Amino acid sequence: MGIWNYIKNIKNVSRGIAFKMVTDSGNGFYAWDGEIYESDIVRACIRPYAKAIGKLTAKHIRRFRGKVEVNPEPYMRFLLSEPNPYMGGHVMLEKAAVQLALNNNAFILIVRDENGVPEQLYPIPANMVEAKYEGEGLYLKFYFKNGKTAQFPYSEVLHIRNDFNENDIFGESPQKALEPLMEIVNTSDQGIVKAIKNSGVIRWLLTYATPLRPEDLKANVQQFVDNYMDISSPTFGAAGVDSKASAQRIEPKDYVPNAMQMGNTQKRIYSFFNTNEKIVESTYTEDEWNSYFEIVIEPVAIQLGEEFTRKLFSRKERGFGNAIFFDAANLQCASLSTKLALQAMVDRGALTPNEWRETFNLSPVADGDKPLRRLDTQTVNQVSTLLEDMDIGNITATREKILDLLRGGDKDGEKG
């Protein structure tokens, strides 16, 4: 694949430093081995989180000398929407979000052309990554499932992290916090399965008054089963024994985990991932989703914007106002009444008609990217300025300009 072709061409930056096994106290991070993602509870917690991050819209914004441009450079627009030949921007963000939720760390490799311009982005699903300081530079060495390794400068890796505490580079692994909860869930699930299997093992106990040989005992039990427990037997449902034996029904009393205890464990896992049952089952209200978005999704969006801006643009480019923003422009979680209320934002030029249509999942229209402004929402600052500058020599010209503003135009006759 593309990332491996890039890795083959990259020079080995190692300077003979021997690799040391990373321990819990070392400057390394171990990812989960994948088993945690097999849990239906964990996957249910992560799915809405990853989908919400995937829906974030990445935009290149340039603010310079009072002018704001959206996606001014085609190469950056293509990079954000088509990061590599194998996935779009939505899928790449989802994959990175899953890695972030499972590991509290997510890595995206920046591939540049011969001129140093970023042209591709690849998520890095490594089993382990090690931070190595060589000279004054910081490098990340990745260990992949197929046994291969690759080392990249930290400046060429987009690194998103959570629970950033003791380690200088990596977010804290969730293993110690999640492991006891997952053991409880796994043990409970196994207990239920075993209870169901054991419930049909022994239902009747036949006690014989006289000793029998093992083969005779087995034959008598089989005859009892064939006559009274086989659904095709004419005597199914009614049993009879003589004085030589007595039949006693065994009531199953297998242990089944307490439902309240299981519910508490599941709630603790939900809380660990900052989610709840309504978010997982998509039964949330608008306010509940907005609260979840503000606490869980928005901090990741801010961190994505900062990291993309810092790594994709040089210091000079950032000085000219270039930045990457991730926003939730579609507002699909908003109710119909909330979306309709955004009409006021369109009237005042805060939203364009196409941005408003996007909230309804409608396609753009011609000239829909131009902001509109109602006549009765024209700013009064311009009128005040004209009145302050008015004198005996420009009364007529000032009057015409004020009338033109009230009609919604400017001095050239264009409509605002």
Side-chain angles (χ1 to χ4, degrees):
M1 295 178 65
I3 187 173
W4 289 111
N5 293 333
Y6 174 75
I7 292 175
K8 291 178 182 178
N9 296 328
I10 195 170
K11 294 182 178 180
N12 185 4
V13 297
S14 177
R15 302 177 184 173
I17 299 178
F19 170 73
K20 297 181 180 180
M21 183 62 66
V22 180
T23 62
D24 290 341
S25 58
N27 193 16
F29 168 76
Y30 283 95
W32 288 95
D33 57 6
E35 293 182 0
I36 186 67
Y37 196 56
E38 301 300 323
S39 169
D40 62 313
I41 300 178
V42 172
R43 191 172 297 194
C45 293
I46 293 176
R47 187 178 294 116
Y49 171 81
K51 296 294 183 183
I53 292 180
K55 288 172 64 177
L56 294 174
T57 304
K59 295 180 180 179
H60 172 202
I61 305 296
R62 178 181 293 161
R63 293 175 174 169
F64 188 65
R65 293 181 178 176
K67 185 178 180 181
V68 178
E69 297 178 88
V70 180
N71 293 326
E73 299 291 344
Y75 85 92
M76 185 58 65
R77 175 168 54 86
F78 278 111
L79 179 67
L80 297 177
S81 61
E82 303 172 11
N84 62 68
Y86 310 103
M87 62 188 73
H90 173 84
V91 175
M92 185 193 71
L93 287 178
E94 278 197 19
K95 187 175 181 65
V98 171
Q99 294 296 318
L100 179 61
L102 290 176
N103 305 315
N104 281 339
N105 289 271
F107 305 94
I108 301 175
L109 175 65
I110 304 173
V111 180
R112 303 180 186 270
D113 61 12
E114 60 275 7
N115 297 318
V117 178
E119 61 178 359
Q120 291 183 3
L121 301 174
Y122 287 93
I124 309 178
N127 273 3
M128 193 188 80
V129 56
E130 178 189 7
K132 302 181 67 176
Y133 294 89
E134 300 185 1
E136 297 182 356
L138 172 61
Y139 296 85
L140 296 182
K141 187 172 184 179
F142 294 91
Y143 298 80
F144 301 97
K145 291 184 178 181
N146 57 7
K148 296 182 179 180
T149 62
Q151 185 165 301
F152 309 106
Y154 189 71
S155 59
E156 301 304 308
V157 177
L158 300 170
H159 182 196
I160 311 301
R161 50 201 164 187
N162 194 19
D163 291 349
F164 191 35
N165 184 23
E166 294 184 357
N167 199 286
D168 293 337
I169 304 299
F170 304 111
E172 295 295 325
S173 171
Q175 179 178 2
K176 293 182 180 179
L178 265 182
E179 196 172 46
L181 297 176
M182 299 312 302
E183 287 181 358
I184 295 175
V185 172
N186 185 51
T187 303
S188 299
D189 290 345
Q190 292 182 6
I192 293 175
V193 173
K194 291 181 179 180
I196 294 174
K197 291 182 178 180
N198 293 337
S199 62
V201 174
I202 299 177
R203 294 186 178 181
W204 289 90
L205 177 62
L206 300 180
T207 304
Y208 291 90
T210 58
L212 297 176
R213 294 181 300 174
E215 56 270 22
D216 294 337
L217 181 62
K218 186 175 181 179
N220 289 339
V221 172
Q222 185 63 50
Q223 183 180 10
F224 181 86
V225 172
D226 294 339
N227 291 339
Y228 308 117
M229 302 185 67
D230 188 354
I231 193 172
S232 62
S233 173
T235 57
F236 174 73
V241 293
D242 55 19
S243 59
K244 295 184 297 182
S246 61
Q248 179 183 358
R249 181 176 176 83
I250 304 298
E251 296 293 338
K253 296 182 179 180
D254 301 288
Y255 171 73
V256 178
N258 185 276
M260 182 176 295
Q261 294 177 349
M262 294 178 61
N264 289 337
T265 302
Q266 180 172 317
K267 185 177 180 180
R268 289 175 63 186
I269 296 176
Y270 284 170
S271 297
F272 180 85
F273 287 101
N274 291 327
T275 187
N276 55 64
E277 188 174 357
K278 291 186 176 181
I279 297 296
V280 169
E281 297 181 357
S282 299
T283 58
Y284 48 79
T285 63
E286 180 181 349
D287 290 337
E288 289 169 343
W289 174 260
N290 288 335
S291 176
Y292 175 77
F293 183 90
E294 182 178 354
I295 299 300
V296 180
I297 307 301
E298 190 175 20
V300 179
I302 295 174
Q303 187 178 173
L304 282 168
E306 292 176 345
E307 187 72 355
F308 272 62
T309 299
R310 193 166 60 93
K311 298 289 182 67
L312 295 183
F313 295 116
S314 66
R315 189 178 182 87
K316 181 178 180 181
E317 289 173 322
R318 298 197 301 272
F320 281 95
N322 290 282
I324 303 296
F325 289 89
F326 289 80
D327 58 43
N330 50 21
L331 290 177
Q332 293 299 326
C333 62
S335 64
L336 181 61
S337 60
T338 299
K339 294 178 181 180
L340 291 174
L342 292 176
Q343 176 186 350
M345 304 290 287
V346 179
D347 293 341
R348 287 158 175 78
L351 285 177
T352 65
N354 279 343
E355 289 173 333
W356 188 34
R357 289 174 62 85
E358 188 177 356
T359 66
F360 292 93
N361 201 25
L362 298 175
S363 59
V365 295
D367 295 329
D369 292 325
K370 298 179 180 179
L372 304 178
R373 176 172 291 172
R374 278 172 38 185
L375 298 183
D376 60 351
T377 60
Q378 182 63 265
T379 57
V380 298
N381 290 337
Q382 298 179 53
V383 177
S384 300
T385 302
L386 290 172
L387 290 175
E388 291 175 358
D389 297 337
M390 185 176 62
D391 54 32
I392 192 66
N394 63 4
I395 292 178
T396 302
T398 302
R399 175 180 175 275
E400 294 298 327
K401 290 181 179 180
I402 293 176
L403 290 176
D404 188 59
L405 287 174
L406 294 178
R407 287 193 296 264
D410 56 20
K411 65 181 180 179
D412 297 324
E414 296 178 353
K415 299 299 178 182

